[in-house]
Amino acid sequence: MEYTSLKNKPFFILGPCVAESVGLLSEVSDFILQLKKKYEVEIIFKASFDKANRTSGSSFRGPGMDTGLQMLSDVKSYSGLPVLSDIHESYQAAPVAEVCDILQIPAFLCRQTDLLHAAGNTGKIVNIKKAQFLSGIEMQYPLEKVRETGNEQIMLTERGTMFGYNNLVVDYRNMIDMQQFAVPVIFDATHSVQRPGGAGGKSGGNREYVASLAKAAKAIGIQGFFFEIHPDPDHALSDGPNMLNFNQMETLISELI
């Protein structure tokens, strides 16, 4: 995938929170291919092989790196879609880069220097999610850490700011501020409606706000959008309360385009 194409036109990052099964990834990738063909828009497939930051240690984390990367590799081979996944440890960067087109830095870890350097050193596109406790202006420092490796292929993603306990709010000034860094800025609308840790050992969410927040982001010039999707969000193994089903996603993508 060409980084420059992400700077000049609308694009979407879509997929389930976690790689629950081969069947789920196949079903989601088929749906994404339909959207891509129908709306003629760039779409990147996203799924996590390991959710190392779940609220509870008993929550489902995913298939692990080896199995998960094979699942993502199969999606890429089958669909031809670019693939994104997140890394939580520096040692994961190199093997994940062998499969994924984009390496994502989780919001909680966006100040971890070694992790940012490891991602940058792969030469792949690096998507840094803005921490819930940082402003848009402060994201210049994670950005600089990746640039220290000589890698200029960087994106920044807004995913909400802490608003007391178990709640997030979207301050659109953060996205406007990040746009000054001349890199693609993405709005992650589904994580922005999360209720972190607010559902008894797991995160809750309010998916009914996703569409309105995304349209507001478009109004300030955002062209990159991140949505977690699932055929049956209420039975998803992670982040179900803030994910969209297929019908909701198609309606929204048509409105955003």
Side-chain angles (χ1 to χ4, degrees):
M1 114 166 302
E2 293 292 331
Y3 174 71
T4 53
S5 70
L6 302 178
K7 300 180 72 173
N8 303 317
K9 60 183 181 181
F11 67 94
F12 293 82
I13 299 171
L14 305 180
C17 178
V18 64
E20 297 178 14
S21 66
V22 171
L24 174 69
L25 298 195
S26 178
E27 185 175 1
V28 174
S29 62
D30 282 344
F31 169 69
I32 290 174
L33 285 172
Q34 293 173 22
L35 292 181
K36 182 179 174 69
K37 180 178 180 180
K38 183 174 182 178
Y39 297 101
E40 299 181 339
V41 67
E42 182 76 60
I43 304 180
I44 298 153
F45 181 92
K46 178 268 170 186
S48 298
F49 56 82
D50 180 20
K51 299 302 293 184
N53 56 351
R54 296 300 305 274
T55 302
S56 170
S58 62
S59 295
F60 179 75
R61 288 181 53 166
M65 187 167 70
D66 292 342
T67 301
L69 286 180
Q70 184 59 59
M71 293 165 70
L72 291 171
S73 178
D74 291 344
V75 167
K76 186 174 180 178
S77 297
Y78 161 73
S79 68
L81 293 167
V83 173
L84 174 153
S85 197
D86 39 356
I87 59 173
H88 293 81
E89 303 281 354
S90 299
Y91 76 87
Q92 296 175 335
V96 173
E98 292 180 8
V99 173
C100 295
D101 302 273
I102 302 174
L103 273 60
Q104 182 166 279
I105 307 298
F108 285 134
L109 302 177
C110 78
R111 301 203 311 184
Q112 297 297 104
T113 303
D114 292 345
L115 185 63
L116 291 163
H117 283 172
N121 282 328
T122 66
K124 290 298 183 79
I125 299 170
V126 180
N127 182 33
I128 312 173
K129 303 196 81 172
K130 183 184 77 63
Q132 299 90 330
F133 49 84
L134 291 182
S135 68
I137 290 292
E138 290 173 284
M139 288 303 291
Q140 73 181 85
Y141 302 110
L143 183 65
E144 288 171 357
K145 289 178 181 182
V146 176
R147 283 178 168 161
E148 287 169 1
T149 69
N151 190 341
E152 295 286 340
Q153 298 188 108
I154 308 164
M155 307 190 296
L156 298 176
T157 295
E158 166 65 41
R159 52 93 70 240
T161 300
M162 290 305 301
F163 190 62
Y165 298 112
N166 309 127
N167 205 2
L168 297 171
V169 67
V170 178
D171 183 346
Y172 287 84
R173 294 175 299 179
N174 286 325
M175 285 180 273
I176 295 170
D177 288 341
M178 289 191 291
Q179 285 174 318
Q180 70 179 284
F181 301 133
V183 300
V185 174
I186 300 162
F187 179 47
D188 178 351
T190 46
H191 281 105
S192 292
V193 300
Q194 245 184 1
R195 297 254 180 194
K202 58 185 179 181
S203 292
N206 295 96
R207 71 172 71 98
E208 65 268 24
Y209 300 135
V210 167
S212 296
L213 295 180
K215 292 173 193 175
K218 179 182 178 180
I220 61 167
I222 295 301
Q223 296 195 85
F225 295 91
F226 184 120
F227 300 99
E228 287 191 334
I229 60 174
H230 194 282
D232 185 9
D234 290 336
H235 292 93
L237 299 182
S238 176
D239 273 5
N242 50 269
M243 283 202 278
L244 300 180
N245 65 34
F246 291 175
N247 289 335
Q248 291 167 326
M249 186 66 252
E250 179 160 10
T251 298
L252 182 53
I253 200 170
S254 67
E255 292 172 344
L256 290 172
I257 292 173

